[in-house]
Amino acid sequence: GAVVSQHPSRVICKSGTSVKIECRSLDFQATTMFWYRQFPKQSLMLMATSNEGSKATYEQGVEKDKFLINHASLTLSTLTVTSAHPEDSSFYICSATGRQGQETQYFGPGTRLLVL
Amino acid sequence: GNSVTQMEGPVTLSEEAFLTINCTYTATGYPSLFWYVQYPGEGLQLLLKATKADDKGSNKGFEATYRKETTSFHLEKGSVQVSDSAVYFCALSDPSNTGKLIFGQGTTLQVKP
């Protein structure tokens, strides 16, 4: 149980285009989803917290107009990197918790984004 | 503030060696503590967790005990395998109940046959 999937696993795009990454909880309802960014050989940096049906809460320094997050259902959250640039190239990972306040986060396998 | 500090890697061991990866934390309140493992090119997997002082989390031969007096949650395994090679992250839950996790910087473990 507690499986989280991400799609796509890898994406290459041209500078200036937008890329959408999906995060799904496959066997549980995720009231809260988190989006992280991970640079090579570094820890995870929390970008935003997303609760179903409400606006995402962004961490300091994360541009909300650049990284659009939608959490329209209890099993799906999307991250759209708008007008991507090479510096946006990274590993993006989502996680989900099953109910409000639950502590254990279940992570997706990650999406590798390369912007040319 | 709340923070997690892990021993710097990489840690290189021979197969069947004993493993310890140190993790200490600073937190207000009473967080839960976690170890996550990340295999190359993959996301994080929960390895084990402990929710209160003196709890021991264990899974797949790995263990960690929540030590409030030393604010530590060291990861141990008696006999490592090549397949244990990965990056290990210690984390604590935000004591203010936001659901956020605060991660350490990660420790790379390389096990050689």
Side-chain angles (χ1 to χ4, degrees), chain A residues 38 43 59 103-105 107 109, chain B residues 32 36 38 43 49 99-100 104:
Chain A
Q38 186 181 31
S43 190
E59 295 299 300
E103 294 174 318
T104 301
Q105 290 183 26
F107 284 79
Chain B
S32 294
Y36 281 88
Q38 185 179 31
K49 69 176 185 179
K100 294 180 184 179

Side-chain angles (χ1 to χ4, degrees), chain B residues 5-97:
Chain B
T5 302
Q6 292 180 233
M7 65 187 287
E8 286 196 24
V11 174
T12 303
L13 295 173
S14 297
E15 208 165 21
E16 299 184 4
F18 184 85
L19 168 71
T20 300
I21 299 178
N22 290 339
C23 170
T24 56
Y25 67 91
T26 303
T28 54
Y30 305 97
S32 294
L33 301 174
F34 304 82
W35 277 101
Y36 281 88
V37 58
Q38 185 179 31
Y39 297 101
E42 298 182 14
L44 274 68
Q45 299 175 27
L46 177 64
L47 182 59
L48 54 84
K49 69 176 185 179
T51 57
K52 60 184 189 296
D54 299 326
D55 267 3
K56 178 188 283 189
S58 62
N59 185 26
K60 298 180 182 179
F62 291 89
E63 291 184 342
T65 301
Y66 190 143
R67 302 278 188 208
K68 193 168 184 292
E69 63 276 13
T70 54
T71 62
S72 65
F73 193 54
H74 303 321
L75 182 68
E76 296 182 335
K77 186 174 185 182
S79 175
V80 293
Q81 305 300 314
V82 172
S83 58
D84 293 326
S85 299
V87 181
Y88 292 81
F89 291 94
C90 185
L92 63 82
S93 60
D94 181 2
S96 59
N97 254 348

Side-chain angles (χ1 to χ4, degrees), chain A residues 3-6 22-26 33 73 75-77 94:
Chain A
V3 177
V4 176
S5 70
Q6 278 183 245
E22 292 186 348
C23 177
R24 292 181 185 273
S25 56
L26 298 185
M33 287 184 167
S73 78
T75 59
L76 173 64
S77 176
C94 72

Side-chain angles (χ1 to χ4, degrees), chain A residues 55-70:
Chain A
K55 289 185 179 179
T57 303
Y58 289 82
E59 295 299 300
Q60 195 171 10
V62 177
E63 299 175 60
K64 62 180 181 180
D65 295 329
K66 171 79 171 172
F67 299 100
L68 300 178
I69 291 172
N70 183 280

Side-chain angles (χ1 to χ4, degrees), chain A residues 34-106:
Chain A
F34 301 87
W35 285 96
Y36 296 86
R37 185 172 179 177
Q38 186 181 31
F39 293 100
K41 302 193 180 191
Q42 293 189 28
S43 190
L44 279 71
M45 181 192 80
L46 180 64
M47 299 174 67
T49 303
S50 166
N51 290 301
E52 186 265 338
S54 60
K55 289 185 179 179
T57 303
Y58 289 82
E59 295 299 300
Q60 195 171 10
V62 177
E63 299 175 60
K64 62 180 181 180
D65 295 329
K66 171 79 171 172
F67 299 100
L68 300 178
I69 291 172
N70 183 280
H71 191 166
S73 78
L74 284 171
T75 59
L76 173 64
S77 176
T78 60
L79 167 68
T80 301
V81 183
T82 62
S83 187
H85 291 286
E87 58 265 30
D88 299 324
S89 299
S90 193
F91 195 49
Y92 293 88
I93 304 175
C94 72
S95 70
T97 59
R99 60 178 184 271
Q100 205 83 26
Q102 185 183 43
E103 294 174 318
T104 301
Q105 290 183 26
Y106 298 95

